[in-house]
Structures are given as structure tokens and as C-alpha cells.
Amino acid sequence: MRNLDISVIVPLYNEEESLPELVAWVDRVMQENNFRYELIMVDDGSSDSSWEVVKQLGLENSNIHALKFNRNYGKSAALNTGFTAASGRVVITMDADLQDSPDEIPGLYKMIEEEGYDLVSGWKAKRYDPISKTIPSKFFNYVTRKLSDIELNDFNCGLKAYRLEVVKSIQVYGEMHRYIPVLAKWAGFSKIGEKVVQHRARQYGVTKFGLERFIHGFLDLLSVTFVSRFKKKPMHFFGLLGTLSFMMGFFTTVYIILNKVYCLYYDLPVREIVDQPLFYIALVAVVIGMQLFLSGFISELLVMKNHNEKDYLIAECFSESKPKIMEEVSVRRV
């Protein structure tokens, strides 16, 4: 295969109207800058005619490689599949709704290739979103900056650039696409930058994300923070909590027993141990401590086992110049 400069990954879901314009725009930018590229389009189970549009565009442009999920799995699954298939030295991700401008690609490419960044995230400083979306976004970005020590203003911007080694070293699952910079940092890629990019108003269709994404975003933030810090050594987390809980219960139990022995020795009034609520609290603490220890041991055993399987199914693929793309993207049928 020829040595590619750029792999552009576009996850899409019901974007039939915007696809022809997006593909033409990307191709024009690539031709103007003499980039050797591939455009990997991952259809996340669209219910409209997006897949038919993609296949028609693929017949007209041999740089297009496309995959279609059998149902909607989410943006993270689409990006992870695109990362697996990518082969360009620089990988660009962008949304299919034309709110990300392909004109930003040369600048992002330069920051990776010439300035040595591992990852560059777009920052839509001027947004065309309603306040119901921008205010929660600012909050999550602030919290993520504090927890991750990564100075980015817009973690969730779909327009990003990566060195190829970065996307091959991380696994995006669930809805972790919001926190890819955090995953990249904890994988050892610390040179993470930011570029102000243009945010364009949506021209076709409606947004595919509802208010529930803010709840999911908060839960994902807690999850990625935990996984990033304790993925390799879960016993450090569960063991610490287990030790604290067990020791609290153990010493409380010892205190209760010694207190009863003392009272009996000096013939003082004393309550039965089983009549004291403190005894049951101590017992629960001991049991919880032991359970946390067991959770830590089981987690350590799971970490030792390498999990490379995906839990989503590619129903169809299309590529004029890369017909074996299905073989290059390893999936487990579910």
C-alpha cells in the first residue's frame, strides 16, 4: 500500500444530505495540498439512505473506504473501528454534519508532523450552539481539566488530529470519545495541543444527542478517571479501601470485646455485645473490607488477561482500492 499522509475518519449517523458536500470538500483540500489520503467513513447503523450515498461516493472516489454497523453502537465504536483501519501517518477525525471545516486539516497536520504534537484537539472558541449545550459543556471541560491536568478548552470537539501511534495505542469504548485526550495521556502520549477551529452552524438535519448526554458525560468522566489511574493496578484502589474498612471494623470489634472484659473484671454494668449497634457496624465494615479485597484480586486477574475483542458487528463494508478492509478490522460477531 502506498504511504499515506492522512487518514480522515468520519463517523456518521443519518447524514445523507451532508455527505456529498463533505466528501467533495475534503477531496478539494487534499488535492490543493498534495496530500495522499484515505477517507474512512463509518456508518453507525443509519436508518436513512446514508449507506447508499456513501457507496455511490466510493465509486466516484477511490480514496473512500466505508464500513457499516448492523445497528447503532455509538460514536466511540465508530471511532475505534476507524482507528483500527487507519494507516496514514496523521489521523484526522471530524463529524459528518459539516459543523467541522475540512479547511482546518492542513493546520492540524502541520502541528503533528512539523511541531511534534502527539494529539491536537480543536477548540471551537466561537460556537453556534444553544446555551443549554454550551453551559454544561464548559462545566465538563473545566472539571476534566482539573482531574486530568490537561489544559484543553474543548475535550469533546470532534475535530482532532493524532499521530498514528496514538490511535493504535488506545481503545475507545462505551462513550469515552469525549475523553480521548485523557486516554492518550495515560497511554504515555503527553504532548497534547490545541488549535482554535471554525465552528459552522448545522445546515442539514438535527443533532443526534439529547440531554441525557450530560448525565452520560459525568458518569464517563468518573469512569475514565478511575480507569486511567487504576487500570493496571486495581488492587491499589480496592486494596486501600478494603484495608481501611477492615481495620476500622477489626479495631472497633477489639474495643467492644476489651470493654466488656474490663466491665466484667471490675463488676461494672455491661451490655451484651450483640445488643450494641456498634458491633454490627464493625461487622459490616469487616465484611465490606474482605469483599473489597476480593474485588481487587479478581480485578488483578482480569488485568492479566488481554482483551482484544470488540462487542460490535460490521454488517457491510465497501472499498474500491482497499477491498480487504474487513480483514484489517478485527471484530467479534455478537
Side-chain angles (χ1 to χ4, degrees):
M1 185 193 306
R2 61 179 181 166
N3 185 27
L4 297 176
D5 298 312
I6 298 177
S7 293
V8 180
I9 300 174
V10 179
L12 63 101
Y13 179 68
N14 292 345
E15 299 287 356
E16 58 183 358
E17 295 174 305
S18 63
L19 295 176
E21 183 177 344
L22 175 65
V23 169
W25 194 352
V26 169
D27 186 66
R28 175 176 58 79
V29 171
M30 296 300 180
Q31 298 300 331
E32 289 176 352
N33 292 272
N34 295 316
F35 288 137
R36 294 166 296 179
Y37 80 101
E38 64 180 357
L39 178 56
I40 301 172
M41 309 186 78
V42 184
D43 187 336
D44 188 20
S46 294
S47 57
D48 63 1
S49 61
S50 292
W51 182 243
E52 286 68 30
V53 173
V54 168
K55 289 195 293 184
Q56 181 58 43
L57 292 170
L59 292 173
E60 302 167 1
N61 185 342
S62 62
N63 295 304
I64 293 177
H65 315 304
L67 303 110
K68 176 180 172 62
F69 289 160
N70 66 319
R71 66 171 177 82
N72 180 250
Y73 288 99
K75 189 174 182 178
S76 292
L79 285 175
N80 201 59
T81 299
F83 289 163
T84 303
S87 56
R89 294 196 310 277
V90 176
V91 177
I92 305 287
T93 60
M94 61 191 312
D95 294 335
D97 55 13
L98 294 175
Q99 290 190 280
D100 295 332
S101 171
D103 288 333
E104 304 286 354
I105 291 176
L108 293 168
Y109 176 85
K110 180 180 178 181
M111 292 183 71
I112 298 293
E113 283 287 274
E114 299 182 15
E115 299 180 29
Y117 284 96
D118 296 314
L119 185 157
V120 179
S121 180
W123 174 23
K124 298 173 181 177
K126 182 179 180 181
R127 301 182 66 99
Y128 293 94
D129 293 322
I131 192 171
S132 60
K133 184 176 180 180
T134 56
I135 296 300
S137 178
K138 288 181 181 294
F139 170 75
F140 281 118
N141 284 318
Y142 171 79
V143 174
T144 307
R145 278 198 303 273
K146 296 302 179 182
L147 291 177
S148 66
D149 291 326
I150 302 175
E151 292 301 320
L152 294 180
N153 291 283
D154 191 356
F155 283 83
N156 195 31
C157 179
L159 187 58
K160 288 183 172 66
Y162 311 81
R163 194 175 303 282
L164 181 63
E165 292 78 10
V166 176
V167 303
K168 299 299 185 181
S169 302
I170 62 175
Q171 192 166 22
V172 188
Y173 59 93
E175 294 190 25
M176 292 298 180
H177 59 273
R178 299 180 179 92
Y179 305 110
I180 289 180
V182 181
L183 298 176
K185 178 184 176 182
W186 285 98
F189 300 97
S190 58
K191 192 167 185 181
I192 298 174
E194 189 170 55
K195 182 181 185 298
V196 176
V197 297
Q198 178 187 5
H199 183 218
R200 306 174 75 245
R202 173 180 278 274
Q203 299 182 44
Y204 307 103
V206 296
T207 180
K208 309 302 188 298
F209 302 98
L211 293 176
E212 70 277 0
R213 74 190 187 95
F214 299 127
I215 299 176
H216 295 164
F218 176 72
L219 297 177
D220 288 338
L221 177 58
L222 297 179
S223 179
V224 75
T225 301
F226 171 80
V227 171
S228 297
R229 295 181 183 274
F230 302 105
K231 178 180 179 181
K232 297 300 182 182
K233 285 295 180 182
M235 181 56 81
H236 290 182
F237 176 78
F238 292 107
L240 176 61
L241 293 182
T243 299
L244 293 176
S245 179
F246 182 86
M247 296 304 291
M248 182 182 72
F250 175 77
F251 284 115
T252 301
T253 303
V254 171
Y255 165 77
I256 293 173
I257 294 174
L258 292 179
N259 181 67
K260 182 174 182 178
V261 171
Y262 176 84
C263 292
L264 291 175
Y265 183 81
Y266 288 101
D267 199 24
L268 298 174
V270 61
R271 295 173 60 186
E272 292 292 331
I273 292 179
V274 294
D275 289 337
Q276 301 183 47
L278 189 60
F279 168 75
Y280 294 99
I281 294 175
L283 183 62
V284 170
V286 170
V287 172
I288 291 177
M290 295 177 64
Q291 289 180 332
L292 286 170
F293 260 109
L294 289 175
S295 298
F297 283 126
I298 293 173
S299 299
E300 288 284 345
L301 292 174
L302 292 175
V303 167
M304 294 178 185
K305 183 177 181 181
N306 185 23
H307 290 276
N308 291 320
E309 296 181 339
K310 316 274 192 310
D311 58 354
Y312 40 87
L313 167 66
I314 295 176
E316 191 175 353
C317 70
F318 177 88
S319 176
E320 283 288 287
S321 61
K322 197 176 180 181
K324 293 186 178 180
I325 190 172
M326 183 69 82
E327 298 177 7
E328 299 177 17
V329 183
S330 176
V331 296
R332 175 171 61 89
R333 294 184 174 269
V334 295

